[in-house]
Amino acid sequence: MIPFLTYPLALAALATLPALTAIYLLRNRFRRRTVSSLMLWHFTLQSRQGGTRVHRLQLPLLFFLELLALALLVTAATGPHWKSSQNNRPLIVVLDDSFSMRAVHDGASAQARAQKFLEGLFHHGAPPSVRLILAGKEPHSLGSIEKNWSQVAGLLSQWTCRSPDARLEPALTLAVEAGKDQANILILTDHKPDDENVSNRRVEWHSFGAAVDNIAIVNASRVAFENQDRCLLEIANFSTGSRSARLLVQAGTNTEAVPLSLDGRGSRRLVFNVPSATPSLHASLDPDALADDDDIQLLPPIRKRVRVQVRLPDENLTALADRILAATGLRSSISADPEIIIHDNASAATGNAWDLFWLTGAATNAFTGPFIIDDSHPVAQGMALDGIVWAAANITNAPGDVPIILAGNVPLVSTRDDAFGTRHLTLNYNPGLSTLQDTPALPILFWNLLRWRSDEMPGLKESNARLGADVTVKTDGHAVTMTRPDGVKKDFPATTGDIALETPMPGIYSVATGTITNQFSVNTIAADESDVSGCASGQWGKWSEDAQQRLEEASATWIFGLLALALLATHLWLVATAKGAR
Amino acid sequence: MDSPLRQALGDGEKLGLRYALQIPQVAASGWTGTRSGRRNGSSIDFQDYREYQPGDDLRFIDWSIYARSDRLTVKLFREEVIPHLDLVVDGSASMALDDTAKAVAAARLASVLATAAANAQCTRAIWLSGEGFRRLPNDTLSPITWESFAMDSKRTPEQSFEIVPPKFRRLGVRVLVSDLLWPGNPLTLLRRLRDGAAALFVIQLLAREDITPPEHGNLRVRDSETGEENEIYIDSTIAAQYLENLAQLQQSWDQACRQCGAHMTTIIAEDLDDSLDKLQAIQLLTPA
């Protein structure tokens, strides 16, 4: 005997199948229309004209059947719910996205072990729904709520463990808010919680890390140093015992192996110079448990030179200005189409270039202080004027000018911006009666000025960055296209100002602005994540087994729908029989 | 982001140049900027004296006091502040209803308001609802550079508030752009939006299709967000009932807005350009 024949409900359900097919055909007669919301389509009144068909049939039994079916459908359309008990709770998984999860122990990374654990969890009893939250530098919800393992596995492809930090606390807070004390929260990481006594009954903390030895590059920089580049590499040993390692440094075609002997929890800094023409400096350590922090690439620092034109009629003053500008090391060798013009004429036309009006006029007073310096201004950074004699014309601050250095109420250095954003500086300084030119303060002042100007030039501001840091590119009205190391391109429309570029993965990025293409390198440098000595495996916290089952809103629409379908099937049968009789 | 939306952002920016955001007096608190505020600052209205501290603007040192007492004293003036606009855009799928101008109008309207805010020397933040509220990338730059302006969420703004609420700036002007077509008590959302705001404006953006019931006949209506479907026979009674439901919804939002001290207006997406005078009527915009 077929088992469902012994169950009247199953038999009734089977009987609705041909009815469902018939209803489907009828539904095709309806015009389709997508509306903003169905809430305006829930009516208390029924259509008057919709009843004409009932009158035409003139069959009381069919009339009541249709009426009852409509009532059931209307009830179903209102989305009735009831409280039903649920044994399983939704699951929110917080995933540690830091690169320490990629540390390999016994042939598998913590990430792989965590993923395997999650898959096993599904096979032993899938939760009704799952939401994933990545804990990187900031928490990031992976969006949709998934219900089976294949969907979750698809989302897990975004779990790359490339972040330089894993902020689990904010991610847990987000999970608690999203879960509303109804969902179980699972944290998958590689270290134990700060407070091992997990008090939240809805949280389980699973760690899959292992304390393994790791030697890592924890600091790397390459800066301009006169005609060469100065490089700094810092290598740290995060194990408790002494370790030896070999650092392979490749600068252009030259390769050098540096043997290292590092004490337990110790580090060593290497500082060396390379020719500025060296395109890329590549440093790597011997492979170990965590490969991400064993490799760095440093590109040459960006050397922006400022084109300065000196238009001073006084030869001595011109020589002084040229000497100071040369000392800054930031002056371009060419002065055509200048970016800064130094002159002594208040009404000089300077076009779009910044200008420094060097005022050496008569009625000069020699000031010995106190000098008031706006330390927050880029031109005044690092300036110290103690013991200096500064001779300057006895003038007061012009309206609209912002003083940077003052002697009493006499502005010595001031600035203003015109309507086009061009900056105009005034240097009230007579070197004939001053001692300023005999101190480092004057080169510092000019270095600050040229550095300020170069910072305002379009293009990248740095060529080497740490993973996760924003790299700023200044644009001058051209569209910007960034190409990531994996070849993915991102376009930014033409605009003026600073654009912050995200760096989600290590490697060489290229940035095209107009016809110019620059590159910058992103390296995995984060000492806290490289230190995997504190990693551990284990479980902290346990989801409580509630004695009282959780009540959840469950839809009862299907019950009304099923009853309506059964009525409609009966209705069709009656209509067919009546027609057959006639 | 698709090109019609990008085009709408660009068009809205041009249209917005004719307007400026009207700033309520209570909003005069914020970052140093261009309007008289309630605290000390750098306008020309003198307020008080105090001792000089590193970082103070050197222009405001009173040299006559310095000459008399050898102490650096700065003059305090009324602050100048930059008022702030928090624009909250409903990112649910109903705002991008098929075959209507709703999404384009929402983008255009957001761009108009952002540009009007810039004309009024306001800073701004554009918030889009979805899986929680998120701030649009590049929202401080020109509207044409905005990224991820997509309206495809299945969540209402009220639900988005529960997941990740937006971080509004205190005493800013807040504007909600939505079709308001979700069930629930409007006060729940409005109170959260109104909390700490200088003023709250609610702009209901509807498509012409939303306010016009279809012609007589059988219709299968499908909810753009939930995918739920309902079959119905449309006649004059049903059409009247639909319009009554819509009127009741608008009335409930209007009453809730009055309770919260918010201003509400309704704009038809297809008539957006001709409806901007409504935004002047509720004192949100003013001619630039």
Side-chain angles (χ1 to χ4, degrees):
Chain A
M1 179 68 81
I2 302 173
F4 65 75
L5 290 179
T6 60
Y7 295 93
L9 279 177
L11 192 58
L14 187 66
T16 59
L17 289 178
L20 189 66
T21 308
I23 289 169
Y24 180 79
L25 291 173
L26 289 172
R27 284 171 69 181
N28 287 339
R29 293 165 51 193
F30 284 76
R31 283 180 292 141
R32 288 175 174 273
R33 176 165 166 173
T34 303
V35 296
S36 295
S37 171
L38 275 186
M39 62 178 292
L40 299 176
W41 295 93
H42 291 162
F43 301 110
T44 52
L45 292 176
Q46 290 300 314
S47 162
R48 281 197 291 259
Q49 294 178 16
T52 52
R53 196 173 160 217
V54 174
H55 295 305
R56 191 171 64 243
L57 288 172
Q58 294 180 346
L59 293 171
L61 178 58
L62 294 178
F63 168 76
F64 288 114
L65 283 174
E66 285 178 358
L67 193 65
L68 189 56
L70 280 173
L72 287 168
L73 284 173
V74 168
T75 311
T78 59
H81 285 72
W82 64 7
K83 298 271 186 186
S84 68
S85 61
Q86 299 286 333
N87 292 320
N88 289 338
R89 288 177 179 273
L91 180 64
I92 299 177
V93 187
V94 176
L95 303 163
D96 184 335
D97 199 32
S98 65
F99 69 83
S100 65
M101 289 288 286
R102 296 161 67 90
V104 176
H105 176 63
D106 288 343
S109 66
Q111 182 194 16
R113 285 194 290 271
Q115 188 163 340
K116 193 174 177 184
F117 169 79
L118 188 59
E119 187 175 3
L121 201 68
F122 265 81
H123 291 155
H124 283 97
S129 68
V130 177
R131 170 182 283 191
L132 303 180
I133 294 175
L134 282 185
K137 281 178 71 182
E138 49 189 40
H140 169 56
S141 172
L142 290 185
S144 56
I145 294 173
E146 306 302 351
K147 298 195 173 181
N148 59 52
W149 173 247
S150 61
Q151 292 172 320
V152 173
L155 281 182
L156 284 176
S157 62
Q158 298 178 50
W159 185 26
T160 55
C161 293
R162 293 280 191 191
S163 176
D165 192 10
R167 301 192 60 208
L168 289 170
E169 285 298 324
L172 181 58
T173 305
L174 176 61
V176 170
E177 282 184 15
K180 293 186 172 57
D181 204 32
Q182 293 296 314
N184 285 331
I185 297 170
L186 175 65
I187 299 172
L188 300 180
T189 181
D190 60 356
H191 61 274
K192 60 187 180 183
D194 295 336
D195 181 5
E196 295 188 29
N197 188 15
V198 178
S199 56
N200 193 326
R201 297 178 303 117
R202 299 264 67 86
V203 175
E204 273 192 16
W205 182 296
H206 288 258
S207 173
F208 299 91
V212 292
D213 291 349
N214 184 37
I215 297 177
I217 299 173
V218 294
N219 210 349
S221 72
R222 179 174 175 178
V223 294
F225 184 68
E226 296 178 348
N227 293 326
Q228 293 188 310
D229 291 347
R230 173 156 288 186
C231 302
L232 163 74
L233 297 177
E234 184 174 2
I235 297 93
N237 171 22
F238 291 106
S239 58
T240 51
S242 299
R243 295 285 184 274
S244 296
R246 191 183 61 136
L247 179 71
L248 201 63
V249 181
Q250 186 178 357
T253 55
N254 298 328
T255 304
E256 187 175 348
V258 182
L260 300 169
S261 179
L262 298 163
D263 295 335
R265 311 293 298 174
S267 66
R268 183 173 163 195
R269 288 186 172 195
L270 301 174
V271 179
F272 54 91
N273 293 344
V274 297
S276 58
T278 305
S280 169
L281 184 136
H282 184 224
S284 59
L285 288 165
D286 296 331
D288 57 17
L290 185 54
D292 293 58
D293 54 15
D294 293 339
D295 229 15
I296 58 106
Q297 230 178 326
L298 295 173
L299 297 182
I302 292 170
R303 285 179 162 83
K304 287 184 180 172
R305 295 282 185 267
V306 181
R307 295 190 296 276
V308 185
Q309 203 172 74
V310 180
R311 295 181 190 168
L312 296 170
D314 186 329
E315 288 181 2
N316 291 334
L317 213 54
T318 302
L320 175 62
D322 285 338
R323 203 167 65 242
I324 298 168
L325 289 167
T328 64
L330 297 175
R331 184 186 187 181
S332 170
S333 57
I334 53 174
S335 59
D337 188 16
E339 287 149 337
I340 294 181
I341 297 172
I342 300 175
H343 61 92
D344 67 346
N345 183 357
S347 57
T350 57
N352 292 328
W354 293 18
D355 77 290
L356 177 69
F357 170 41
W358 193 327
L359 176 61
T360 57
T364 299
N365 285 347
F367 298 98
T368 57
F371 298 104
I372 302 159
I373 305 172
D374 182 358
D375 293 327
S376 61
H377 198 280
V379 167
Q381 285 177 4
M383 294 277 289
L385 300 177
D386 298 334
I388 283 176
V389 178
W390 186 315
N394 198 3
I395 58 173
T396 53
N397 197 48
D401 282 12
V402 178
I404 302 168
I405 302 175
L406 287 164
N409 61 346
V410 176
L412 304 179
V413 180
S414 59
T415 180
R416 71 181 163 82
D417 295 352
D418 65 18
F420 302 103
T422 308
R423 299 189 198 283
H424 304 275
L425 288 100
T426 301
L427 175 64
N428 183 7
Y429 167 54
N430 185 343
L433 300 172
S434 305
T435 61
L436 179 68
Q437 67 274 17
D438 301 327
T439 70
L442 196 57
I444 290 173
L445 179 71
F446 276 74
W447 191 93
N448 285 342
L449 171 62
L450 266 61
R451 182 58 188 263
W452 189 24
R453 181 67 187 91
S454 66
D455 282 347
E456 298 285 318
M457 293 178 183
L460 286 168
K461 291 187 177 174
E462 55 196 328
S463 59
N464 295 297
R466 293 183 175 218
L467 180 67
D470 285 347
V471 173
T472 307
V473 58
K474 194 164 189 69
T475 63
D476 57 350
H478 288 102
V480 175
T481 301
M482 180 184 77
T483 309
R484 299 195 328 192
D486 58 357
V488 174
K489 291 192 175 188
K490 188 168 185 184
D491 295 320
F492 297 88
T495 184
T496 304
D498 287 344
I499 292 179
L501 307 176
E502 291 182 342
T503 55
M505 62 177 59
I508 303 293
Y509 292 65
S510 69
V511 179
T513 312
T515 56
I516 303 168
T517 300
N518 294 117
Q519 287 188 322
F520 64 91
S521 171
V522 173
N523 294 305
T524 306
I525 296 173
D528 287 346
E529 289 300 326
S530 293
D531 184 1
V532 289
S533 61
C535 291
S537 293
Q539 176 183 346
W540 292 266
K542 178 77 179 161
W543 297 326
S544 67
E545 300 288 342
D546 289 344
Q548 188 178 5
Q549 286 183 327
R550 186 171 64 96
L551 292 178
E552 190 176 75
E553 290 278 340
S555 172
T557 306
W558 63 276
I559 297 175
F560 294 94
L562 205 61
L563 288 172
L565 281 174
L567 284 173
L568 286 171
T570 312
H571 170 269
L572 284 174
W573 178 76
L574 286 173
V575 170
T577 308
K579 280 182 179 174
R582 278 198 290 269
Chain B
M1 196 162 72
D2 54 4
S3 55
L5 285 185
R6 183 81 68 196
Q7 175 74 30
L9 290 173
D11 292 346
E13 189 175 7
K14 287 175 195 161
L15 186 58
L17 291 174
R18 303 180 200 165
Y19 300 95
L21 200 71
Q22 209 163 337
I23 308 299
Q25 188 54 38
V26 71
S29 175
W31 291 358
T32 300
T34 56
R35 286 173 185 272
S36 284
R38 298 183 299 180
R39 297 197 295 266
N40 296 327
S42 57
S43 74
I44 58 170
D45 299 329
F46 172 74
Q47 188 153 305
D48 201 356
Y49 286 102
R50 73 160 164 74
E51 287 285 316
Y52 170 81
Q53 292 170 356
D56 284 344
D57 193 327
L58 302 181
R59 285 175 293 179
F60 301 140
I61 292 177
D62 191 316
W63 297 108
S64 56
I65 294 179
Y66 178 63
R68 288 197 302 273
S69 64
D70 209 20
R71 289 167 55 191
L72 289 174
T73 307
V74 290
K75 289 180 278 191
L76 301 179
F77 299 86
R78 283 191 73 81
E79 70 165 349
E80 289 178 339
V81 298
I82 295 178
H84 181 75
L85 168 70
D86 278 308
L87 179 58
V88 182
V89 181
D90 181 354
S92 60
S94 67
M95 289 293 286
L97 189 63
D98 294 343
D99 303 325
T100 69
K102 229 165 155 183
V104 167
R108 197 176 166 96
L109 181 58
S111 180
V112 166
L113 292 170
T115 309
N119 285 344
Q121 310 292 321
C122 281
T123 57
R124 67 183 184 233
I126 316 296
W127 301 95
L128 191 70
S129 72
E131 291 296 322
F133 274 94
R134 63 180 173 80
R135 202 169 159 177
L136 283 189
N138 297 330
D139 63 346
T140 57
L141 303 179
S142 163
I144 203 164
T145 67
W146 293 354
E147 292 289 335
S148 310
F149 195 89
M151 284 166 282
D152 52 6
S153 172
K154 294 182 177 178
R155 297 196 180 275
T156 66
E158 197 172 317
Q159 291 168 335
S160 300
F161 245 109
E162 297 297 328
I163 299 171
V164 182
K167 294 174 182 169
F168 290 138
R169 189 180 296 175
R170 216 180 139 268
L171 290 181
V173 176
R174 292 173 198 164
V175 179
L176 169 67
V177 177
S178 168
D179 56 12
L180 309 180
L181 294 176
W182 71 84
N185 187 352
L187 276 173
T188 311
L189 178 66
L190 287 176
R191 282 190 177 132
R192 300 182 76 164
L193 286 170
R194 188 69 178 89
D195 184 29
L200 172 63
F201 296 89
V202 178
I203 302 174
Q204 186 184 32
L205 185 64
L206 294 174
R208 189 172 299 288
E209 201 169 282
D210 287 328
I211 60 164
T212 313
E215 293 179 359
H216 288 203
N218 286 326
L219 194 69
R220 178 182 299 150
V221 286
R222 179 180 170 279
D223 192 306
S224 59
E225 290 172 12
T226 64
E228 190 183 350
E229 292 190 344
N230 204 357
E231 290 174 351
I232 197 155
Y233 181 82
I234 306 290
D235 60 8
S236 56
T237 312
I238 294 298
Q241 180 73 39
Y242 175 86
L243 292 175
E244 191 179 326
N245 284 354
L246 179 62
Q248 279 180 0
L249 174 83
Q250 288 176 317
Q251 196 178 3
S252 69
W253 273 91
D254 196 46
Q255 281 178 353
C257 284
R258 285 173 199 275
Q259 284 184 40
C260 293
H263 306 275
M264 177 181 165
T265 189
T266 300
I267 286 179
I268 306 306
E270 287 79 0
D271 303 333
L272 176 64
D273 289 3
D274 299 329
S275 305
L276 291 182
D277 53 347
K278 291 184 177 178
L279 303 185
Q280 294 184 57
I282 60 170
Q283 299 184 327
L284 174 60
L285 294 182
T286 184

